[in-house]
């Protein structure tokens, strides 16, 4: 059963070494992520699953101890998903899960075993719901760390340029995440989300599936659009 969840954005820019001189601009987002992870720890889960979108080579499950790196962004920063297990990893974490692993390391996570799941940003809502239910049934007390950004079309300089639909989409996502509105999350339009480059849609709908009948309450901890990309942080407990 799902007992808690944290929703965090997944830009590698959250890692100060990647952001370099711009690092202070996301200090508030990092602080909010730390607060959300504190809620996960307080829930005393038996298992934590980090969920995020990934390219084809990074999809599927990742066991505890899987390494990740930000060397592709020009910095000598490596991470690991939870404690090392001694098993030889088959592949590295995709970027979204690497950011999640960095957040867990930053807060000293040692409260439960950790696994990862990379999914396609095109995953159909029905499959998202099914995946969420499967994750919630993995242990008696399951927590999710849900990694995903809102739209990338909030300004002229945004990665997806300015789209007038982006701000309303992000506002509805923020409201739904902040109030744990499962129906509203399930209703997010996959086609619109993809046009707006909102990589969080599928992970959020997986969360909605996992939270079915869990009766959790939500709190929105951060909402902003630096660099024209919507970043949201929420906690459910």
């Amino acid at each position: 059963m799902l007992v808690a969840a944290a929703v965090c954005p997944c830009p590698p820019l959250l890692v100060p070494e990647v952001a370099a001189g711009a690092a202070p601009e996301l200090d508030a987002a990092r602080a909010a992520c730390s607060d959300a992870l504190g809620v996960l720890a307080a829930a005393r889960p038996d298992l934590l699953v980090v969920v995020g979108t990934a390219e084809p080579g990074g999809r599927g499950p990742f066991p505890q101890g899987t390494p990740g790196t930000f060397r592709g962004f020009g910095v000598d920063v490596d991470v690991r998903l939870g404690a090392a297990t001694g098993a030889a990893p088959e592949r590295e974490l995709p970027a979204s899960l690497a950011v999640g692993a960095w957040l867990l390391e930053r807060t000293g996570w040692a409260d439960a075993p950790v696994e990862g799941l990379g999914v396609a940003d095109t995953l159909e809502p029905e499959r998202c719901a099914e995946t969420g239910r499967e994750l919630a049934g993995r242990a008696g007390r399951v927590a999710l760390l849900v990694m995903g950004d809102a739209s990338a079309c909030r300004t002229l300089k945004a990665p997806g340029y300015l789209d007038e639909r982006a701000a309303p989409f992000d506002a509805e996502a923020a409201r739904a995440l902040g109030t744990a509105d499962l129906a509203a999350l399930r209703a997010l339009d996959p086609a619109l989300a993809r046009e707006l480059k909102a990589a969080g849609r599928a992970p959020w709908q997986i969360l909605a599936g996992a939270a079915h009948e869990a009766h959790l309450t939500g709190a929105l901890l951060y909402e902003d659009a630096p660099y024209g990309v919507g970043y949201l942080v929420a906690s459910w407990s």
Side-chain angles (χ1 to χ4, degrees):
M1 177 179 178
L2 186 71
V3 295
V7 177
C8 295
C10 61
L13 287 172
L14 273 182
V15 180
E17 291 87 345
V18 175
E25 296 177 17
L26 291 179
D27 280 347
R30 296 185 191 97
C33 290
S34 295
D35 290 343
L37 291 179
V39 173
L40 295 186
R44 294 178 295 178
D46 301 318
L47 173 68
L48 172 63
V49 183
V50 186
V51 181
T53 56
E55 296 300 319
R59 294 171 190 167
F62 290 84
Q64 178 165 309
T66 301
T69 184
F70 295 97
R71 294 175 188 267
F73 297 94
V75 297
D76 187 14
V77 177
D78 298 322
V79 294
R80 189 176 300 278
L81 188 64
T85 62
E90 296 182 2
R91 52 185 179 155
E92 289 187 342
L93 297 170
S96 64
L97 301 189
V99 174
W102 179 83
L103 289 173
L104 292 170
E105 288 187 359
R106 182 172 181 263
T107 54
W109 180 268
D111 300 272
V114 185
E115 297 177 5
L117 179 65
V119 300
D121 64 359
T122 56
L123 196 66
E124 299 86 352
E126 295 79 9
R127 181 58 183 143
C128 288
E130 182 180 341
T131 300
R133 290 192 294 269
E134 291 171 355
L135 292 178
R138 289 287 311 283
R141 298 178 65 81
V142 175
L144 294 183
L145 173 52
V146 181
M147 306 299 298
D149 301 339
S151 74
C153 303
R154 292 282 294 272
T155 66
L156 292 173
K157 294 184 178 180
Y161 197 66
L162 176 64
D163 191 313
E164 294 182 354
R165 301 171 297 173
F169 178 92
D170 289 359
E172 175 59 8
R175 188 200 64 77
L177 291 169
T179 58
D181 187 335
L182 306 187
L185 289 174
R186 289 193 294 264
L188 292 175
D189 184 347
L192 176 59
R194 188 160 180 78
E195 290 175 15
L196 297 177
K197 304 183 183 302
R201 190 275 308 170
W204 300 337
Q205 290 185 328
I206 289 172
L207 169 59
H212 180 64
E213 297 185 347
H215 307 294
L216 302 183
T217 58
L220 187 66
L221 306 182
Y222 177 87
E223 177 186 9
D224 202 358
Y227 320 116
V229 182
Y231 295 154
L232 304 172
V233 180
S235 64
W236 290 19
S237 61

